[in-house]
């Protein structure tokens, strides 16, 4: 039950970022967009790892890696 709630929070974070970007309310290069994606994907990757869902581990782990690189690039530009 707790894992379900945690995974819903992670999914919600990613979906909020994506939806806001699609409706031009959030810039995909903004810190908030990057952080929402990073934390959401890390949460989902952790839950997937715990229950050993390899496909989800690959997708969310990659998403977290890409978001981490975007975060590094964000701070390098500052």
């Amino acid at each position: 039950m707790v894992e379900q709630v945690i995974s819903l929070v992670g999914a919600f974070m990613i979906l909020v970022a994506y939806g806001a970007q699609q409706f031009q309310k959030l810039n995909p290069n903004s810190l908030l967009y990057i952080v929402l994606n990073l934390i959401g994907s890390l949460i989902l990757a952790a839950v997937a790892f715990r229950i050993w869902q390899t496909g989800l581990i690959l997708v969310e782990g990659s998403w977290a890696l890409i978001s981490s690189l975007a975060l590094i690039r964000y701070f390098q530009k500052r």
Side-chain angles (χ1 to χ4, degrees):
M1 172 70 174
V2 173
E3 282 180 346
Q4 290 294 325
V5 172
I6 292 170
S7 66
L8 285 171
V9 168
F12 183 74
M13 293 175 80
I14 291 171
L15 290 171
V16 164
Y18 180 71
Q21 187 269 326
Q22 287 298 304
F23 290 99
Q24 300 176 346
K25 301 294 183 189
L26 194 55
N27 183 327
N29 296 317
S30 71
L31 182 59
L32 179 59
Y33 181 85
I34 295 167
V35 169
L36 284 170
N37 274 290
L38 177 59
I39 295 173
S41 62
L42 284 172
I43 289 169
L44 290 175
V47 170
F49 188 78
R50 183 165 158 68
I51 60 175
W52 201 249
Q53 292 291 318
T54 53
L56 192 56
I57 292 168
L58 176 63
V59 169
E60 296 304 332
S62 299
W63 197 303
L65 176 61
I66 292 166
S67 297
S68 296
L69 295 173
L71 187 62
I72 291 167
R73 186 180 64 197
Y74 176 87
F75 284 114
Q76 285 177 339
K77 288 182 178 182
R78 302 257 160 209

